[in-house]
């Protein structure tokens, strides 16, 4: 079924007419140097420029290239998912088209894979040619996500990574739609390691990740791996309720000591705090249920089995040998 293909390289493309030729040249040079059978899968994610035309030309002259054309722009994560769905290789590498992830790093990833690692992610030691805002927001996001999630998500890594066939098949078994692929790779587990690299400046063109798409990716990342934000209302409610309770006691005592009516503006304010606190606590409780419903609706398997080992036959044979020796 795999047609002897060892490596599959997945390259999502959205309006990349300025980079596709150079990207192909560099990817081909690196993959040829492995002397192993490979395929490069271009996923044209509904580009509006000449990306499709150019990819078609490359595809026609090089039989190692496959091209998937989406009917419209479905987004980077959908493009990667489609690539994984058709990849035939034993090792699958996801890389951006714009050469920010240097193709030569793939060789280091392949080396680690041959050592026995099943996930090798690219860790950005440094990012060049990106705005302060992009670097800062990315740094903050990866750290917030790590602190919120119960799975160990490596910081400063994008989708540039190699995964083993086993990992790819596990990812394919996850039916959820709003995918944050790099988080799901952490979630499925397996033996993981990283190689460090310097993220380069874009070869040409502009980022295809405007703020709106970045926010969507961040929200997908957080909501798919944690429902702590839903519990936030509960914490807020708890704090407000406690503050309301304390201030009510103080205000009542103050009113009694000063011989004033207990029903005054201050005690009313405290009562208000208590009521808000109660409402938020109930919202937090609802959040817990909604979180669990959300978890169930994602339809993820409860566990993923990497392998099953049984020494039963061996033990039984040993027993038999013992008996026959007696
Ligand atoms: N991309 C895509 N669909 C999109 C947006 C981006 O397939 O809707 C591809 C894009 O062509 C590139 C990769 O995803 O190969 C990463 O995008 P980009 O380099 O623009 O993101 P940045 O590096 O600026 O975060
Ligand atoms: Mg880029």
């Amino acid at each position: 079924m795999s047609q002897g293909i060892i490596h599959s390289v997945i390259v999502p493309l959205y309006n990349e007419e300025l980079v596709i030729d150079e990207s192909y040249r560099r990817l081909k040079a690196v993959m040829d140097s492995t002397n192993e059978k490979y395929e490069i899968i271009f996923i044209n994610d509904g580009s509006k420029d000449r990306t499709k035309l150019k990819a078609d030309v490359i595809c026609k002259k090089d039989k190692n290239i496959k091209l998937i054309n989406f009917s419209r722009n479905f987004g980077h994560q959908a493009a990667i998912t489609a690539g994984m769905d058709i990849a035939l290789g034993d090792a699958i590498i996801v890389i951006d088209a714009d050469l920010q992830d240097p193709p030569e790093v793939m060789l280091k990833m392949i080396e680690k894979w041959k050592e026995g690692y099943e996930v090798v992610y690219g860790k950005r030691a440094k990012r060049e040619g990106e705005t302060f805002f992009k670097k800062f927001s990315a740094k903050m996001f990866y750290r917030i996500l790590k602190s919120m999630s119960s799975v160990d998500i490596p910081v400063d890594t994008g989708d540039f990574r190699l995964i083993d066939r086993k990992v790819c098949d596990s990812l394919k078994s996850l039916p959820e739609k709003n995918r944050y692929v790099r988080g799901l790779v952490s979630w499925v587990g397996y033996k993981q390691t990283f190689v460090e690299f310097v993220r380069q400046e874009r070869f040409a063109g502009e980022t295809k990740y405007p703020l709106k798409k970045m926010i969507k990716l961040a929200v997908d990342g957080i909501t798919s791996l944690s429902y702590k934000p839903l519990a936030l209302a509960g914490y807020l409610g708890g704090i407000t309720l406690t503050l309301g309770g304390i201030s009510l006691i103080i205000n009542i005592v103050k009113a009694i000591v000063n011989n004033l009516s207990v029903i005054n503006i201050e005690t009313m304010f405290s009562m208000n705090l208590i009521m808000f606190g109660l409402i938020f606590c109930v919202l937090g409780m609802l959040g817990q249920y909604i979180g669990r419903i959300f978890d169930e609706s994602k339809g993820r398997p409860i566990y993923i089995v990497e392998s099953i080992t049984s020494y039963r036959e061996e033990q039984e044979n040993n027993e038999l040998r013992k008996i026959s020796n007696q």
Side-chain angles (χ1 to χ4, degrees), residues 96 98 100 130 199 202 207:
D96 284 357
D98 58 2
Q100 282 198 277
E130 285 180 313
R199 189 154 160 91
R202 205 174 219 288
T207 174

Side-chain angles (χ1 to χ4, degrees), residues 239-256:
I239 295 170
T240 319
L241 197 60
T242 315
L243 287 178
I246 294 170
S247 71
L248 183 67
I249 294 168
I250 294 173
N251 288 334
I252 289 178
V253 172
K254 248 168 65 184
I256 293 171

Side-chain angles (χ1 to χ4, degrees), residues 114-165:
K114 288 188 173 165
E115 283 172 24
Y117 290 100
E118 286 145 335
V119 175
V120 188
Y121 52 87
K123 190 168 165 57
R124 299 160 178 174
K126 215 175 139 204
R127 300 169 73 122
E128 278 174 1
E130 285 180 313
T131 61
F132 170 78
F133 174 71
K134 176 112 187 179
K135 283 193 229 176
F136 179 74
S137 56
K139 219 177 168 83
M140 290 302 294
F141 166 66
Y142 289 127
R143 277 149 188 82
I144 291 173
L145 180 60
K146 192 181 169 74
S147 69
M148 279 192 168
S149 167
S150 51
V151 286
D152 189 19
I153 302 170
V155 294
D156 303 329
T157 61
D159 284 306
F160 182 31
R161 62 186 64 209
L162 178 153
I163 59 172
D164 184 79
R165 160 73 22 213

Side-chain angles (χ1 to χ4, degrees), residues 12-14 16 43 45 73 75-76 79 95-98 100 130 134 199 202 206-209 213:
L13 297 160
Y14 181 52
E16 300 287 11
I43 300 101
D45 181 15
N73 180 240
H76 181 206
I95 187 166
D96 284 357
D98 58 2
Q100 282 198 277
E130 285 180 313
K134 176 112 187 179
R199 189 154 160 91
R202 205 174 219 288
E206 282 171 1
T207 174
K208 307 300 174 315
Y209 255 103
K213 277 190 183 169

